[in-house]
Amino acid sequence: MVRDLRLLWRRRGDALQPALFALLVVVLFALALGGENASVSKVAGAVLWLAVLLAGLLALDTLFRGDAEDGSLEQWMLAPVPLAWLVGVRTFMHWATTALPLLLATPFLAELLHLPRGQLPVLLASLALGTPLLSLLGAVVAALTVGMRRSGILVALLALPLYVPVLVFGAGSVAASAQGLDPVGALLLLGAGLVVSLVLAPLAAAAAIRIALN
């Protein structure tokens, strides 16, 4: 984690790209909808979820690629700790540097889209459960393509089908709250997916890295 933080500090400009991209998506949606409070607030939850998803997808290709290019992945395989543990730590750092700043900025972005304040707790809960799940699923996809050159579009094509259920349940919980329905069911499904992914995703990504390197 300390090493990843040092590398992040050296690439401060690159680290800000996901947050700036999400802000750009939110602003463009607000402009496209005409800036009317009634029309913007109806889709605010879906827009924020889509902005966070696309911002995480933007940084997904670099999750393991830098380590593969400088030979660090080979050192990971020789380390005295399980490879899945190192993958889990890297995935956590990816979430902390891409999704966590957006999660902290969500109240500000929600104000830009005139999201009703009663829906904000549901939105924050869905993002807190869904964004780690997106990072874990993305880690598996990034590990599968780590041995390929110029795989940016391939990563997106492989990751988007896995991201769709998370987007549906995450944005659906906010929509249910807006309609006066109980959003707990969608949040529980996100939580269940997160628990399963915490166990299986690092193992699958570690296996994919071994296949790619061998």
Side-chain angles (χ1 to χ4, degrees):
M1 291 175 63
V2 172
R3 174 181 177 273
D4 287 345
L5 288 175
R6 289 175 179 173
L7 293 175
L8 179 67
W9 180 252
R10 294 175 185 175
R11 304 191 304 265
R12 295 184 292 274
D14 295 341
L16 292 175
Q17 288 182 5
L20 294 176
F21 181 79
L23 178 61
L24 182 62
V25 170
V26 169
V27 171
L28 289 177
F29 263 99
L31 292 175
L33 294 173
E36 298 180 2
N37 294 1
S39 59
V40 173
S41 61
K42 291 180 180 178
V43 297
V47 170
L48 289 170
W49 250 100
L50 187 61
V52 171
L53 186 149
L54 294 177
L57 191 63
L58 185 67
L60 188 59
D61 186 47
T62 61
L63 186 57
F64 301 115
R65 187 162 303 282
D67 297 284
E69 292 175 351
D70 63 14
S72 298
L73 284 183
E74 285 82 357
Q75 299 299 319
W76 285 20
M77 297 182 66
L78 299 175
V81 293
L83 180 59
W85 173 254
L86 297 175
V87 170
V89 172
R90 169 55 59 83
T91 306
F92 170 76
M93 292 304 300
H94 174 266
W95 173 82
T97 55
T98 57
L100 184 58
L102 293 176
L103 190 60
L104 297 176
T106 295
F108 169 71
L109 298 177
E111 287 294 330
L112 288 179
L113 293 174
H114 306 287
L115 180 77
R117 295 187 177 179
Q119 301 175 24
L120 184 59
V122 178
L123 175 62
L124 290 174
S126 65
L127 289 175
L129 293 171
T131 51
L133 178 56
L134 293 177
S135 294
L136 289 165
L137 295 174
V140 178
V141 176
L144 288 171
T145 59
V146 71
M148 303 178 184
R149 294 183 179 180
R150 300 177 181 178
S151 59
I153 187 63
L154 181 60
V155 171
L157 291 175
L158 291 175
L160 282 177
L162 301 176
Y163 281 5
V164 167
V166 183
L167 176 64
V168 169
F169 289 120
S173 64
V174 183
S177 176
Q179 297 171 8
L181 303 176
D182 189 5
V184 174
L187 296 177
L188 289 177
L189 286 172
L190 287 176
L194 177 59
V195 171
V196 173
S197 297
L198 280 172
V199 177
L200 298 181
L203 297 174
I209 289 175
R210 290 192 182 94
I211 293 173
L213 294 182
N214 294 329

